[in-house]
Amino acid sequence: MITHAALHPGQAADRLSACTVVDVRTPGEYAAGHLPGAHNIPLDHLATALPALKAAAARGELLMVCASGNRSATACAQLAAAGIPAATLTGGTAAWTAQGHPVEREENVKAVWPMERQVRLAAGSLVVAGLALGTRYRRARWLSAAIGGGLVFSAATNTCGLAALLARLPHNQPRATDLDATLAALGG
């Protein structure tokens, strides 16, 4: 069974020229700042990209990157299950930039909030809405309870259903032509 390695930002910076860097965040998050030369394949499109990633891994090491390291670790686990070796960037782009390493930004693409911030906004808004509606309709308070329960479950399992749902919104989706070009570049 293939396992994945974890590289700290300094280690990744030293090996960056030898790696194919794949950023698994949403296109909006990617546009806000990514490692130099990174390719964007959102985590929910990873299954589609497996043949291209296998070809890229045959040419050299894959380095999977996200905002904090959680999604890239998930991507590495999925790749390992498919027999594709990959490493994850410990701490993600947050740790990368905190150590002063450079990032590239997309000039013609509007950056969106990071997924974690989108989740906090959505969850907080739903809790407030449930409480506000609960003053008039008692059963509406269950909305707040459900969101709270979902957040506890999310923390306990290190998964986030709300993030998966928000990732499907149009501003978090890659344009088909962008994803096709990325897959072609990775496929060699």
Side-chain angles (χ1 to χ4, degrees), residues 73-133:
T74 300
C76 284
Q78 289 179 13
L79 292 174
I84 303 170
T88 183
L89 178 62
T90 302
T93 54
W96 177 266
T97 56
Q99 290 191 10
H101 298 293
V103 294
E104 295 176 346
R105 289 177 169 73
E106 301 293 314
E107 293 181 22
N108 298 328
V109 179
K110 183 180 177 187
V112 299
W113 286 356
M115 185 56 63
E116 185 177 310
R117 188 173 180 191
Q118 291 181 49
V119 168
R120 289 192 313 257
L121 174 68
S125 297
L126 289 169
V127 167
V128 169
L131 291 173
L133 289 171

CSV table of all heavy atoms in Angstrom, one decimal, residues 73-133:
chain,number,residue,atom,x,y,z
A,73,ALA,N,-4.1,16.5,2.4
A,73,ALA,CA,-4.0,15.1,3.0
A,73,ALA,C,-5.0,14.2,2.5
A,73,ALA,O,-4.8,13.0,2.2
A,73,ALA,CB,-4.0,15.2,4.5
A,74,THR,N,-6.3,14.7,2.4
A,74,THR,CA,-7.4,13.9,1.8
A,74,THR,C,-7.1,13.5,0.4
A,74,THR,O,-7.3,12.3,0.0
A,74,THR,CB,-8.7,14.6,1.9
A,74,THR,OG1,-9.0,14.9,3.3
A,74,THR,CG2,-9.8,13.9,1.3
A,75,ALA,N,-6.5,14.4,-0.4
A,75,ALA,CA,-6.2,14.1,-1.8
A,75,ALA,C,-5.1,13.1,-1.9
A,75,ALA,O,-5.2,12.2,-2.7
A,75,ALA,CB,-5.7,15.4,-2.5
A,76,CYS,N,-4.1,13.2,-1.0
A,76,CYS,CA,-3.0,12.2,-1.0
A,76,CYS,C,-3.5,10.8,-0.6
A,76,CYS,O,-3.1,9.8,-1.2
A,76,CYS,CB,-1.9,12.6,0.0
A,76,CYS,SG,-0.9,13.9,-0.6
A,77,ALA,N,-4.5,10.7,0.3
A,77,ALA,CA,-5.1,9.4,0.6
A,77,ALA,C,-5.8,8.9,-0.6
A,77,ALA,O,-5.8,7.7,-0.8
A,77,ALA,CB,-6.0,9.6,1.8
A,78,GLN,N,-6.6,9.7,-1.3
A,78,GLN,CA,-7.3,9.2,-2.5
A,78,GLN,C,-6.3,8.8,-3.6
A,78,GLN,O,-6.5,7.8,-4.2
A,78,GLN,CB,-8.2,10.3,-3.0
A,78,GLN,CG,-9.4,10.6,-2.2
A,78,GLN,CD,-10.2,11.8,-2.7
A,78,GLN,OE1,-10.1,12.2,-3.9
A,78,GLN,NE2,-11.1,12.3,-1.9
A,79,LEU,N,-5.2,9.5,-3.7
A,79,LEU,CA,-4.2,9.1,-4.7
A,79,LEU,C,-3.5,7.8,-4.3
A,79,LEU,O,-3.3,7.0,-5.1
A,79,LEU,CB,-3.2,10.2,-4.9
A,79,LEU,CG,-3.7,11.5,-5.5
A,79,LEU,CD1,-2.6,12.6,-5.5
A,79,LEU,CD2,-4.1,11.3,-6.9
A,80,ALA,N,-3.2,7.7,-3.0
A,80,ALA,CA,-2.6,6.4,-2.5
A,80,ALA,C,-3.5,5.2,-2.8
A,80,ALA,O,-3.0,4.2,-3.2
A,80,ALA,CB,-2.3,6.6,-1.0
A,81,ALA,N,-4.8,5.4,-2.6
A,81,ALA,CA,-5.8,4.3,-2.9
A,81,ALA,C,-5.8,4.0,-4.3
A,81,ALA,O,-6.1,2.8,-4.7
A,81,ALA,CB,-7.2,4.8,-2.4
A,82,ALA,N,-5.4,4.9,-5.2
A,82,ALA,CA,-5.3,4.6,-6.6
A,82,ALA,C,-3.9,4.2,-7.1
A,82,ALA,O,-3.7,4.1,-8.3
A,82,ALA,CB,-5.8,5.9,-7.4
A,83,GLY,N,-3.0,4.1,-6.1
A,83,GLY,CA,-1.6,3.6,-6.4
A,83,GLY,C,-0.8,4.8,-6.9
A,83,GLY,O,0.2,4.5,-7.6
A,84,ILE,N,-1.1,6.0,-6.6
A,84,ILE,CA,-0.3,7.1,-7.0
A,84,ILE,C,0.4,7.8,-5.8
A,84,ILE,O,-0.3,8.3,-4.9
A,84,ILE,CB,-1.2,8.2,-7.7
A,84,ILE,CG1,-1.9,7.5,-8.9
A,84,ILE,CG2,-0.4,9.4,-8.2
A,84,ILE,CD1,-3.0,8.4,-9.5
A,85,PRO,N,1.7,7.8,-5.8
A,85,PRO,CA,2.4,8.4,-4.6
A,85,PRO,C,2.4,9.9,-4.7
A,85,PRO,O,2.5,10.5,-5.8
A,85,PRO,CB,3.8,7.9,-4.8
A,85,PRO,CG,4.0,7.6,-6.2
A,85,PRO,CD,2.6,7.2,-6.7
A,86,ALA,N,2.2,10.6,-3.6
A,86,ALA,CA,2.1,12.0,-3.5
A,86,ALA,C,2.5,12.5,-2.1
A,86,ALA,O,2.4,11.7,-1.1
A,86,ALA,CB,0.8,12.5,-3.9
A,87,ALA,N,2.9,13.7,-2.0
A,87,ALA,CA,3.3,14.3,-0.7
A,87,ALA,C,2.3,15.5,-0.5
A,87,ALA,O,1.8,16.1,-1.4
A,87,ALA,CB,4.7,14.8,-0.7
A,88,THR,N,2.1,15.8,0.8
A,88,THR,CA,1.2,17.0,1.1
A,88,THR,C,2.1,18.0,1.8
A,88,THR,O,3.1,17.7,2.4
A,88,THR,CB,0.1,16.5,2.1
A,88,THR,OG1,-0.8,17.7,2.3
A,88,THR,CG2,0.6,16.0,3.4
A,89,LEU,N,1.7,19.3,1.6
A,89,LEU,CA,2.4,20.4,2.2
A,89,LEU,C,1.8,20.6,3.6
A,89,LEU,O,0.6,21.0,3.7
A,89,LEU,CB,2.2,21.7,1.4
A,89,LEU,CG,2.9,22.9,1.9
A,89,LEU,CD1,4.4,22.8,2.1
A,89,LEU,CD2,2.6,24.1,1.0
A,90,THR,N,2.6,20.4,4.6
A,90,THR,CA,2.1,20.6,6.0
A,90,THR,C,1.8,22.0,6.3
A,90,THR,O,2.6,22.9,6.0
A,90,THR,CB,3.2,20.1,7.0
A,90,THR,OG1,3.5,18.7,6.7
A,90,THR,CG2,2.7,20.2,8.4
A,91,GLY,N,0.6,22.3,6.7
A,91,GLY,CA,0.1,23.6,7.0
A,91,GLY,C,-0.4,24.4,5.8
A,91,GLY,O,-0.9,25.5,5.9
A,92,GLY,N,-0.3,23.8,4.6
A,92,GLY,CA,-0.8,24.4,3.4
A,92,GLY,C,-0.2,25.8,3.0
A,92,GLY,O,0.9,26.1,3.5
A,93,THR,N,-0.9,26.5,2.2
A,93,THR,CA,-0.4,27.8,1.7
A,93,THR,C,-0.3,28.8,2.9
A,93,THR,O,0.5,29.7,2.8
A,93,THR,CB,-1.3,28.4,0.6
A,93,THR,OG1,-2.7,28.4,1.1
A,93,THR,CG2,-1.2,27.6,-0.6
A,94,ALA,N,-1.1,28.6,4.0
A,94,ALA,CA,-1.0,29.5,5.1
A,94,ALA,C,0.4,29.4,5.7
A,94,ALA,O,1.0,30.4,6.0
A,94,ALA,CB,-2.1,29.1,6.1
A,95,ALA,N,0.9,28.2,5.9
A,95,ALA,CA,2.2,28.0,6.5
A,95,ALA,C,3.3,28.4,5.5
A,95,ALA,O,4.3,29.0,5.9
A,95,ALA,CB,2.4,26.5,6.9
A,96,TRP,N,3.0,28.2,4.2
A,96,TRP,CA,4.0,28.6,3.2
A,96,TRP,C,4.2,30.1,3.2
A,96,TRP,O,5.3,30.5,3.2
A,96,TRP,CB,3.4,28.1,1.8
A,96,TRP,CG,4.2,28.5,0.6
A,96,TRP,CD1,4.0,29.6,-0.2
A,96,TRP,CD2,5.3,27.8,0.0
A,96,TRP,NE1,4.9,29.6,-1.2
A,96,TRP,CE2,5.7,28.5,-1.1
A,96,TRP,CE3,6.0,26.6,0.4
A,96,TRP,CZ2,6.8,28.0,-1.9
A,96,TRP,CZ3,7.0,26.1,-0.4
A,96,TRP,CH2,7.4,26.9,-1.6
A,97,THR,N,3.1,30.8,3.2
A,97,THR,CA,3.2,32.3,3.2
A,97,THR,C,3.7,32.8,4.5
A,97,THR,O,4.5,33.8,4.5
A,97,THR,CB,1.9,33.0,2.8
A,97,THR,OG1,0.9,32.6,3.7
A,97,THR,CG2,1.5,32.7,1.4
A,98,ALA,N,3.4,32.2,5.6
A,98,ALA,CA,3.8,32.6,6.9
A,98,ALA,C,5.4,32.5,7.0
A,98,ALA,O,6.0,33.3,7.8
A,98,ALA,CB,3.2,31.8,8.0
A,99,GLN,N,6.0,31.6,6.3
A,99,GLN,CA,7.4,31.5,6.3
A,99,GLN,C,8.1,32.3,5.3
A,99,GLN,O,9.3,32.3,5.0
A,99,GLN,CB,7.8,30.0,6.1
A,99,GLN,CG,7.5,29.2,7.4
A,99,GLN,CD,8.1,27.8,7.3
A,99,GLN,OE1,9.0,27.5,6.5
A,99,GLN,NE2,7.7,26.9,8.2
A,100,GLY,N,7.3,33.2,4.6
A,100,GLY,CA,7.8,34.2,3.6
A,100,GLY,C,8.1,33.6,2.2
A,100,GLY,O,8.8,34.3,1.5
A,101,HIS,N,7.6,32.5,1.9
A,101,HIS,CA,7.8,31.9,0.6
A,101,HIS,C,6.8,32.7,-0.4
A,101,HIS,O,5.7,33.1,0.0
A,101,HIS,CB,7.5,30.4,0.5
A,101,HIS,CG,8.5,29.7,1.4
A,101,HIS,ND1,9.8,29.6,1.1
A,101,HIS,CD2,8.3,29.0,2.5
A,101,HIS,CE1,10.4,28.8,2.1
A,101,HIS,NE2,9.5,28.5,3.0
A,102,PRO,N,7.2,32.8,-1.7
A,102,PRO,CA,6.4,33.5,-2.6
A,102,PRO,C,5.1,32.8,-3.1
A,102,PRO,O,5.1,31.5,-3.1
A,102,PRO,CB,7.3,33.7,-3.8
A,102,PRO,CG,8.2,32.5,-3.8
A,102,PRO,CD,8.4,32.3,-2.3
A,103,VAL,N,4.1,33.5,-3.5
A,103,VAL,CA,2.9,33.0,-4.1
A,103,VAL,C,2.6,33.7,-5.4
A,103,VAL,O,3.1,34.9,-5.5
A,103,VAL,CB,1.7,33.0,-3.1
A,103,VAL,CG1,1.8,32.1,-1.9
A,103,VAL,CG2,1.4,34.4,-2.7
A,104,GLU,N,2.0,33.0,-6.3
A,104,GLU,CA,1.5,33.7,-7.5
A,104,GLU,C,0.0,33.9,-7.4
A,104,GLU,O,-0.7,33.2,-6.7
A,104,GLU,CB,1.8,32.7,-8.7
A,104,GLU,CG,3.2,32.5,-9.0
A,104,GLU,CD,3.5,31.5,-10.1
A,104,GLU,OE1,2.5,30.8,-10.5
A,104,GLU,OE2,4.6,31.4,-10.5
A,105,ARG,N,-0.4,35.0,-8.0
A,105,ARG,CA,-1.9,35.3,-8.0
A,105,ARG,C,-2.4,35.5,-9.4
A,105,ARG,O,-1.6,36.0,-10.3
A,105,ARG,CB,-2.1,36.6,-7.2
A,105,ARG,CG,-1.9,36.5,-5.8
A,105,ARG,CD,-2.1,37.8,-5.0
A,105,ARG,NE,-2.1,37.6,-3.6
A,105,ARG,CZ,-1.1,37.3,-2.8
A,105,ARG,NH1,0.1,37.1,-3.3
A,105,ARG,NH2,-1.3,37.1,-1.5
A,106,GLU,N,-3.6,35.1,-9.7
A,106,GLU,CA,-4.2,35.2,-11.0
A,106,GLU,C,-4.7,36.6,-11.1
A,106,GLU,O,-5.3,37.2,-10.3
A,106,GLU,CB,-5.4,34.3,-11.1
A,106,GLU,CG,-5.1,32.8,-10.9
A,106,GLU,CD,-4.2,32.2,-12.0
A,106,GLU,OE1,-4.5,32.5,-13.2
A,106,GLU,OE2,-3.2,31.5,-11.7
A,107,GLU,N,-4.3,37.3,-12.2
A,107,GLU,CA,-4.6,38.7,-12.4
A,107,GLU,C,-6.0,38.9,-12.9
A,107,GLU,O,-6.7,39.9,-12.5
A,107,GLU,CB,-3.6,39.3,-13.4
A,107,GLU,CG,-2.2,39.4,-12.8
A,107,GLU,CD,-1.2,40.0,-13.8
A,107,GLU,OE1,-1.7,40.7,-14.7
A,107,GLU,OE2,0.0,39.8,-13.7
A,108,ASN,N,-6.5,38.1,-13.8
A,108,ASN,CA,-7.8,38.3,-14.4
A,108,ASN,C,-8.9,37.5,-13.8
A,108,ASN,O,-10.0,37.5,-14.3
A,108,ASN,CB,-7.7,37.9,-15.9
A,108,ASN,CG,-6.7,38.8,-16.7
A,108,ASN,OD1,-6.5,40.0,-16.3
A,108,ASN,ND2,-6.1,38.3,-17.7
A,109,VAL,N,-8.7,36.9,-12.7
A,109,VAL,CA,-9.7,36.1,-12.0
A,109,VAL,C,-10.0,36.7,-10.7
A,109,VAL,O,-9.1,37.0,-9.9
A,109,VAL,CB,-9.2,34.6,-11.8
A,109,VAL,CG1,-10.2,33.8,-11.1
A,109,VAL,CG2,-8.9,34.0,-13.2
A,110,LYS,N,-11.3,36.9,-10.4
A,110,LYS,CA,-11.7,37.4,-9.1
A,110,LYS,C,-11.5,36.4,-8.0
A,110,LYS,O,-12.0,35.3,-8.1
A,110,LYS,CB,-13.1,37.9,-9.2
A,110,LYS,CG,-13.6,38.6,-7.9
A,110,LYS,CD,-15.0,39.0,-8.0
A,110,LYS,CE,-15.5,39.6,-6.7
A,110,LYS,NZ,-16.9,39.9,-6.6
A,111,ALA,N,-10.7,36.8,-7.0
A,111,ALA,CA,-10.5,35.9,-5.9
A,111,ALA,C,-11.7,35.8,-5.0
A,111,ALA,O,-12.4,36.8,-4.8
A,111,ALA,CB,-9.3,36.3,-5.1
A,112,VAL,N,-12.0,34.7,-4.4
A,112,VAL,CA,-13.1,34.5,-3.5
A,112,VAL,C,-12.6,34.2,-2.1
A,112,VAL,O,-11.4,33.9,-2.0
A,112,VAL,CB,-14.1,33.4,-3.9
A,112,VAL,CG1,-14.7,33.8,-5.3
A,112,VAL,CG2,-13.5,32.1,-4.0
A,113,TRP,N,-13.4,34.3,-1.1
A,113,TRP,CA,-13.0,34.0,0.2
A,113,TRP,C,-12.5,32.5,0.3
A,113,TRP,O,-13.0,31.6,-0.4
A,113,TRP,CB,-14.2,34.1,1.2
A,113,TRP,CG,-14.5,35.5,1.5
A,113,TRP,CD1,-13.9,36.7,1.1
A,113,TRP,CD2,-15.6,35.9,2.3
A,113,TRP,NE1,-14.6,37.8,1.6
A,113,TRP,CE2,-15.6,37.3,2.3
A,113,TRP,CE3,-16.6,35.3,3.0
A,113,TRP,CZ2,-16.6,38.1,3.0
A,113,TRP,CZ3,-17.5,36.0,3.7
A,113,TRP,CH2,-17.5,37.4,3.7
A,114,PRO,N,-11.6,32.3,1.2
A,114,PRO,CA,-11.2,30.9,1.4
A,114,PRO,C,-12.4,30.0,1.9
A,114,PRO,O,-13.3,30.6,2.5
A,114,PRO,CB,-10.1,31.0,2.5
A,114,PRO,CG,-9.6,32.4,2.5
A,114,PRO,CD,-10.8,33.2,2.0
A,115,MET,N,-12.3,28.7,1.6
A,115,MET,CA,-13.5,27.9,2.0
A,115,MET,C,-13.8,27.9,3.5
A,115,MET,O,-15.0,28.0,3.8
A,115,MET,CB,-13.2,26.4,1.5
A,115,MET,CG,-14.3,25.5,1.7
A,115,MET,SD,-15.9,26.0,0.9
A,115,MET,CE,-15.4,26.0,-0.8
A,116,GLU,N,-12.8,28.0,4.3
A,116,GLU,CA,-13.0,28.0,5.7
A,116,GLU,C,-13.9,29.2,6.1
A,116,GLU,O,-14.8,29.2,6.9
A,116,GLU,CB,-11.7,28.0,6.5
A,116,GLU,CG,-11.9,27.9,8.0
A,116,GLU,CD,-10.5,27.9,8.7
A,116,GLU,OE1,-9.7,27.0,8.3
A,116,GLU,OE2,-10.3,28.6,9.6
A,117,ARG,N,-13.6,30.4,5.5
A,117,ARG,CA,-14.3,31.6,5.8
A,117,ARG,C,-15.7,31.5,5.2
A,117,ARG,O,-16.7,32.0,5.8
A,117,ARG,CB,-13.6,32.8,5.2
A,117,ARG,CG,-14.1,34.1,5.5
A,117,ARG,CD,-13.3,35.3,5.0
A,117,ARG,NE,-13.8,36.5,5.4
A,117,ARG,CZ,-13.4,37.7,4.9
A,117,ARG,NH1,-12.4,37.7,4.1
A,117,ARG,NH2,-14.0,38.8,5.3
A,118,GLN,N,-15.9,30.9,4.1
A,118,GLN,CA,-17.2,30.7,3.5
A,118,GLN,C,-18.1,29.8,4.4
A,118,GLN,O,-19.3,30.1,4.6
A,118,GLN,CB,-17.1,30.1,2.1
A,118,GLN,CG,-16.5,30.9,1.0
A,118,GLN,CD,-16.5,30.2,-0.3
A,118,GLN,OE1,-17.5,29.7,-0.8
A,118,GLN,NE2,-15.4,30.3,-1.0
A,119,VAL,N,-17.5,28.8,5.0
A,119,VAL,CA,-18.2,27.9,5.9
A,119,VAL,C,-18.6,28.7,7.1
A,119,VAL,O,-19.7,28.5,7.6
A,119,VAL,CB,-17.3,26.7,6.3
A,119,VAL,CG1,-17.9,25.9,7.4
A,119,VAL,CG2,-17.2,25.7,5.1
A,120,ARG,N,-17.7,29.5,7.7
A,120,ARG,CA,-18.0,30.2,8.9
A,120,ARG,C,-19.2,31.2,8.6
A,120,ARG,O,-20.1,31.3,9.5
A,120,ARG,CB,-16.8,31.0,9.4
A,120,ARG,CG,-15.8,30.1,10.0
A,120,ARG,CD,-14.7,30.8,10.8
A,120,ARG,NE,-14.2,32.0,10.2
A,120,ARG,CZ,-13.0,32.0,9.6
A,120,ARG,NH1,-12.2,30.9,9.5
A,120,ARG,NH2,-12.5,33.1,9.0
A,121,LEU,N,-19.2,31.9,7.5
A,121,LEU,CA,-20.2,32.8,7.1
A,121,LEU,C,-21.6,32.0,7.0
A,121,LEU,O,-22.6,32.4,7.5
A,121,LEU,CB,-19.9,33.5,5.8
A,121,LEU,CG,-21.1,34.4,5.3
A,121,LEU,CD1,-21.3,35.6,6.3
A,121,LEU,CD2,-20.8,34.9,3.9
A,122,ALA,N,-21.6,30.9,6.3
A,122,ALA,CA,-22.8,30.2,6.0
A,122,ALA,C,-23.3,29.6,7.3
A,122,ALA,O,-24.5,29.7,7.6
A,122,ALA,CB,-22.6,29.1,5.0
A,123,ALA,N,-22.5,29.0,8.1
A,123,ALA,CA,-22.9,28.4,9.4
A,123,ALA,C,-23.4,29.4,10.4
A,123,ALA,O,-24.5,29.3,11.0
A,123,ALA,CB,-21.8,27.6,10.0
A,124,GLY,N,-22.7,30.5,10.5
A,124,GLY,CA,-23.1,31.6,11.4
A,124,GLY,C,-24.4,32.2,10.9
A,124,GLY,O,-25.3,32.5,11.8
A,125,SER,N,-24.6,32.4,9.6
A,125,SER,CA,-25.8,33.0,9.1
A,125,SER,C,-27.0,32.1,9.4
A,125,SER,O,-28.1,32.6,9.8
A,125,SER,CB,-25.7,33.3,7.6
A,125,SER,OG,-24.7,34.2,7.4
A,126,LEU,N,-26.8,30.8,9.2
A,126,LEU,CA,-27.9,29.8,9.5
A,126,LEU,C,-28.3,29.8,10.9
A,126,LEU,O,-29.5,29.7,11.3
A,126,LEU,CB,-27.6,28.5,8.9
A,126,LEU,CG,-27.5,28.3,7.4
A,126,LEU,CD1,-26.9,27.0,7.0
A,126,LEU,CD2,-28.9,28.5,6.8
A,127,VAL,N,-27.3,29.9,11.8
A,127,VAL,CA,-27.6,29.8,13.3
A,127,VAL,C,-28.4,31.1,13.6
A,127,VAL,O,-29.4,31.0,14.4
A,127,VAL,CB,-26.3,29.7,14.1
A,127,VAL,CG1,-26.5,30.1,15.5
A,127,VAL,CG2,-25.7,28.4,13.9
A,128,VAL,N,-27.9,32.3,13.2
A,128,VAL,CA,-28.6,33.5,13.5
A,128,VAL,C,-30.0,33.5,12.9
A,128,VAL,O,-31.0,33.9,13.6
A,128,VAL,CB,-27.8,34.7,12.9
A,128,VAL,CG1,-28.6,36.0,13.0
A,128,VAL,CG2,-26.5,34.9,13.7
A,129,ALA,N,-30.2,33.0,11.7
A,129,ALA,CA,-31.5,32.9,11.1
A,129,ALA,C,-32.4,32.0,11.9
A,129,ALA,O,-33.6,32.3,12.1
A,129,ALA,CB,-31.4,32.4,9.6
A,130,GLY,N,-31.9,30.8,12.3
A,130,GLY,CA,-32.7,29.9,13.1
A,130,GLY,C,-33.1,30.5,14.5
A,130,GLY,O,-34.2,30.4,14.9
A,131,LEU,N,-32.2,31.3,15.1
A,131,LEU,CA,-32.6,31.9,16.3
A,131,LEU,C,-33.6,33.1,16.1
A,131,LEU,O,-34.5,33.2,16.9
A,131,LEU,CB,-31.3,32.5,17.0
A,131,LEU,CG,-30.3,31.4,17.6
A,131,LEU,CD1,-29.1,32.1,18.1
A,131,LEU,CD2,-31.0,30.6,18.7
A,132,ALA,N,-33.4,33.8,15.1
A,132,ALA,CA,-34.3,34.9,14.8
A,132,ALA,C,-35.7,34.4,14.4
A,132,ALA,O,-36.7,34.9,15.0
A,132,ALA,CB,-33.8,35.8,13.6
A,133,LEU,N,-35.8,33.4,13.6
A,133,LEU,CA,-37.0,32.8,13.3
A,133,LEU,C,-37.6,32.1,14.5
A,133,LEU,O,-38.9,32.0,14.6
A,133,LEU,CB,-36.9,31.9,12.1
A,133,LEU,CG,-36.7,32.5,10.7
A,133,LEU,CD1,-36.3,31.4,9.7
A,133,LEU,CD2,-37.9,33.3,10.3
